[in-house]
Amino acid sequence: MATTDLASVPATASRRRPPQLREWLTPAIPGSPLLSWLGPLLVTALAAYLRFDRLGTPKAVVFDETYYAKDALALLKFGWEHNTVENADKMLIADPDAHIWGSGPAFVAHPPFGKWMIAIGEAMFGATPFGWRFVPALVGTLSVLILCRVARRMTGSTLLGCAAGLLLALDGLAFVTSRAALLDVFVMFWVLAGFACLVNDRDRSRRALADRIEAGETSVYGPFLAHGWRWGAGVCLGLACATKWTGIFYVAAFGLMTVLWDYGARRAAGVRAPLQGTMLLEAVPAFVQMVVVGLVTYLATWWGWIFKPGGWGRGTASDNPLWRPFEAMPKLWHYHAEMLGFHTGLDAKHPYQSWPWDWPILRRPVAFFYTEPKGACGGASRCSREILGIGTPALWWGALVALIVVAFIWLILRDWRAGAILLGFLAGWLTWFPSAFADRTMFLFYATPLIPFMVLAVVLVLGYLIGPAPGWAAGAHAARPGENGGAADPQGAMSEGPPGLPWDSPADQDPALAPYGEQGGYGAHAPYDEQPYDDHGYGEHPYGEHGAHAPPAPVQTAGVRRLIGAAAAGAFLLVVLANFAYFHPILSAQTIPYEDWHERIWFQSWV
C-alpha cells in the first residue's frame, strides 16, 4: 500500500549522478500530476466528512468555547472583545440573537486572529454551535490536504503523501480540535502552511540556483535568489503568532532552518564562498520575509482594536484614522505586557491539566464534554456521551517510536527531512518545558500543532521500512533521489559526491533510497572535484576523477524487502484506522452504553 513511485529498472543498475546540476540539486518528482492531486483530494474528502458530520452536536458550549465563541461574536459587533452577562452561554444556545453583552471591554489572553476566524463562521451561520465550529472544521480539513502535498514533496511519493494525510485525518486530537471553537487547530494550520511554503521554496530556489549557475553566473558568492514563497511563509507564521504566541517559536526555528538550507544548497552547487553568499544574499532577505513580514501581519490582525475606540486599554481614538495606528502602539505594547504577565502567572490548578512530557504518551487527555442522558441508549441502565480530547493511541505511540528513529536518521544519515521534522516537533514541544517547570497550567490539546510533524515522522520511517527499489539507472527517475550527497550502492560502497550538511543532506531522497545516502562526517568521501562548480559543469570529470563509479551490486533481496515493508506499513495504517473507529464514539459525543464508554477508557488517568 505505502509504496514509493519508482520506475522499473534493471536489478544490476547502479546509481549515477545526473549530468545536470539542476537534476543533482532538485530532481523532478515522479508520478502523474493528476494522481498527485486526485489522491490527496480523496483523502481530504474523507477528512471533511469526518469533521463536518454532526458538527453542530452537541448543541452546547464545549469546554473553552465559552471564551472564544463569545469573543468572536464580540469582534463582529464591536471590533474588540467585550464583557458578557452571567449565563450568556445558555442564552446563546436558546437564542443565537440573544443580547449577552455586559458593560465594558474584556481583557483577553490571546491575540485576536483565531477568534476572527471563528467569527467568519458565526457571520455565515449565526452564533450557533455549527456556526462557531465551521471554520475550525474547514481549516482542520484543509490541513489534511496541505500535509498530503508536503509529504509528497518531501518523499517524492504520492502514496506516502496520501498516507500522511490519512493519518492526520484519523487522529483523535486533530479531529476533536477541528470540531470545537478553540484556537489550537488554527495554530496547527498556519504553522503547517508556513512549513509547506518553506519546503516548496526549498525546491524552487535550488532549481533557480542551478539554472543561474548553469547559465554562467560565476560570482564567488553565487547568485541572488528571490525566494518568493518565503513571503507566504512570513504571512502564515505571522498569523500563527496572531492566534497564539507559541507561533513565535516556529518563526525562530524555521528561520534558522532556512539559513542552513541556503548554505547547504550553495555548498552543494560548488559556490566558492557559500557561507558568505548565504549571509550576504539570503539571510537578511529571509529575516525581512519571515520576521518583518510576520510582525506586520501580526499587527494587522489587531485592526479592530487599533481603529475602533473602546477596547481594553485602548480608550479613545484619534479623529484622524491615519494617525490611529501610531497613537495605538504604546497602548498596544502595554496591553501585551499585561498579556505576558497573565501567561507567566497562570498556575491555577485544573483537573485536566498535564505536562509536556505527558503529551506523547497521552497520559492525561481533556474531557471537553460529558453527560449521562437518561434512557437514551436502548435497554442500558446508564448511558454516556463524551468528547474526549485525546490523540489516536496507535498513531501517537507509533509516532513516539518514529521520532526516536528519525533522530537517529538525522544524526547518522544526515537526511534533511529528518532534521526538518524533528525541528518542527521540538519547536512546539520543548518550548513548553520552561513553563511546565514554573507550574504553568497547560493541557494536552496544546500539542495540536505537533501532530503534522509526528505524522511526517511516521511516514518517513515507513518509507525507510519499505526500503529501496530494485535499482537506479540514469534516466530512470526514482522518487526524490539524493541530490547533493554521494549515494551508496546497495552494498554500501559510496560513489563520489560533495560532502553534505546535517540539515541538508542527503537532500530530497526518497525514503526507499534514503538508507543509501551519505553516512558519516564531512570527510566520509572525497568531493567530486578539487575545484568548485564552474562554467563547464562538474569540473573536468563529471562523474569523479576518472568518471569511475562504484560497481553495480546485486539487489535481489530489494523486492522482498519492499513487499514486507509495504505490508507492514499498510498494516500500521489499518491499525490506526481501526483504533480511530473504536474511539470515534467518545470523540464525537455519540450516546453509548456506559459499559461501552468504560471499555474505551484504558487508564484511570483518562477519566
Side-chain angles (χ1 to χ4, degrees):
M1 178 178 179
T3 58
T4 50
D5 301 333
L6 295 168
S8 176
V9 294
T12 58
S14 64
R15 186 172 182 270
R16 295 177 180 271
R17 188 173 63 199
Q20 293 185 346
L21 180 60
R22 179 169 178 170
E23 281 299 299
W24 184 243
L25 286 179
T26 174
I29 301 176
S32 164
L34 176 61
L35 292 179
S36 75
W37 278 103
L38 181 59
L41 286 173
L42 289 175
V43 175
T44 304
L46 172 63
Y49 171 75
L50 292 172
R51 281 148 179 76
F52 283 95
D53 180 46
R54 301 173 57 252
L55 182 60
T57 302
K59 188 178 180 181
V61 177
V62 171
F63 199 62
D64 279 357
E65 287 184 341
T66 187
Y67 304 114
Y68 306 126
K70 292 179 292 189
D71 285 348
L73 197 60
L75 289 176
L76 285 176
K77 184 174 180 62
F78 304 101
W80 35 265
E81 294 85 350
H82 200 286
N83 281 322
T84 57
V85 299
E86 189 177 357
N87 295 321
D89 292 347
K90 294 180 180 179
M91 294 170 63
L92 271 185
I93 293 299
D95 179 11
D97 297 318
H99 184 79
I100 62 171
W101 309 114
S103 59
F107 170 79
V108 294
H110 296 295
F113 185 68
K115 290 162 281 187
W116 276 115
M117 295 188 72
I118 294 170
I120 294 172
E122 292 180 329
M124 295 171 63
F125 303 104
T128 65
F130 182 87
W132 60 65
R133 295 170 192 161
F134 175 80
V135 176
L138 179 63
V139 301
T141 300
L142 293 177
S143 297
V144 171
L145 178 60
I146 294 174
L147 188 61
C148 284
R149 297 291 298 177
V150 170
R152 177 184 179 270
R153 181 169 290 276
M154 295 178 73
T155 65
S157 169
T158 298
L159 284 176
L160 285 176
C162 291
L166 181 62
L167 290 174
L168 181 60
L170 298 177
D171 177 65
L173 187 60
F175 172 81
V176 168
T177 54
S178 297
R179 290 169 54 87
L182 274 65
L183 302 180
D184 303 86
V185 70
F186 300 130
V187 180
M188 180 188 78
F189 174 80
W190 291 115
V191 167
L192 177 59
F195 182 74
C197 288
L198 294 176
V199 172
N200 193 23
D201 178 79
R202 182 185 183 276
D203 272 6
R204 292 174 179 270
S205 63
R206 292 168 77 91
R207 197 174 303 136
L209 175 65
D211 290 344
R212 299 277 291 276
I213 290 178
E214 289 183 329
E217 295 200 22
T218 57
S219 169
V220 294
Y221 304 117
F224 171 79
L225 302 174
H227 291 288
W229 278 88
R230 286 186 188 168
W231 298 101
V235 172
C236 291
L237 294 175
L239 293 177
C241 295
T243 302
K244 276 191 171 183
W245 283 355
T246 49
I248 196 171
F249 298 116
Y250 291 97
V251 175
F254 291 166
L256 174 63
M257 180 179 71
T258 58
V259 171
L260 293 171
W261 281 357
D262 293 341
Y263 172 57
R266 288 177 184 266
R267 190 168 184 265
V271 171
R272 288 187 287 277
L275 180 59
Q276 296 90 327
T278 299
M279 301 310 295
L280 290 172
L281 301 176
E282 296 190 295
V284 173
F287 180 84
V288 172
Q289 291 170 310
M290 297 182 63
V291 177
V292 176
V293 169
L295 178 60
V296 172
T297 301
Y298 175 86
L299 292 175
T301 65
W302 284 85
W303 71 270
W305 186 91
I306 291 172
F307 286 98
K308 294 188 175 184
W312 180 272
R314 180 66 175 95
T316 59
S318 170
D319 293 334
N320 183 355
L322 296 179
W323 179 245
R324 289 180 187 177
F326 304 99
E327 170 201 56
M329 287 303 106
K331 299 177 181 179
L332 187 60
W333 179 266
H334 180 70
Y335 193 174
H336 278 61
E338 292 183 292
M339 293 166 64
L340 180 62
F342 172 85
H343 286 296
T344 55
L346 182 60
D347 57 2
K349 300 300 179 184
H350 193 283
Y352 291 108
Q353 72 182 54
S354 60
W355 306 117
W357 46 84
D358 294 329
W359 298 345
I361 60 174
L362 300 174
R363 192 191 69 84
R364 186 61 171 161
V366 178
F368 282 43
F369 173 84
Y370 182 83
T371 61
E372 293 190 2
K374 302 296 184 181
C377 48
S381 59
R382 187 178 178 187
C383 303
S384 292
R385 193 177 181 216
E386 182 173 31
I387 298 176
L388 185 65
I390 188 171
T392 302
L395 174 59
W396 281 59
W397 297 339
L400 181 59
V401 176
L403 285 163
I404 296 172
V405 174
V406 165
F408 280 100
I409 291 173
W410 177 58
L411 290 171
I412 297 173
L413 300 177
R414 298 183 299 167
D415 187 329
W416 73 269
R417 301 164 305 174
I421 292 167
L422 279 176
L423 185 67
F425 178 81
L426 295 177
W429 184 54
L430 284 184
T431 50
W432 282 104
F433 276 58
S435 297
F437 295 143
D439 290 330
R440 187 206 190 275
T441 311
M442 55 189 67
F443 303 93
L444 173 63
F445 59 82
Y446 290 3
T448 303
L450 307 180
I451 301 172
F453 299 100
M454 295 164 62
V455 169
L456 286 172
V458 170
V459 168
L460 185 63
V461 171
L462 291 180
Y464 272 85
L465 180 65
I466 292 170
W472 197 95
H477 287 287
R480 310 298 281 169
E483 10 169 61
N484 69 338
D489 64 49
Q491 293 299 318
M494 290 287 180
S495 64
E496 292 182 319
L501 294 168
W503 284 95
D504 206 59
S505 177
D508 282 343
Q509 286 184 320
D510 184 83
L513 295 174
Y516 299 160
E518 285 185 303
Q519 303 183 35
Y522 294 147
H525 24 39
Y528 53 84
D529 197 271
E530 293 297 329
Q531 299 297 324
Y533 185 87
D534 56 27
D535 293 338
H536 304 291
Y538 292 97
E540 182 179 355
H541 305 289
Y543 292 111
E545 186 177 356
H546 302 293
H549 283 281
V555 287
Q556 290 87 346
T557 60
V560 175
R561 173 182 170 180
R562 286 176 63 80
L563 180 63
I564 296 174
F572 178 78
L573 293 177
L574 289 175
V575 168
V576 172
L577 174 61
N579 198 202
F580 174 79
Y582 180 70
F583 277 89
H584 185 262
I586 64 171
L587 303 174
S588 56
Q590 295 184 25
T591 303
I592 57 176
Y594 176 83
E595 291 75 16
D596 292 349
W597 169 85
H598 192 266
E599 286 178 358
R600 290 164 171 80
I601 305 301
W602 288 354
F603 303 99
Q604 184 62 34
S605 63
W606 288 10
V607 179

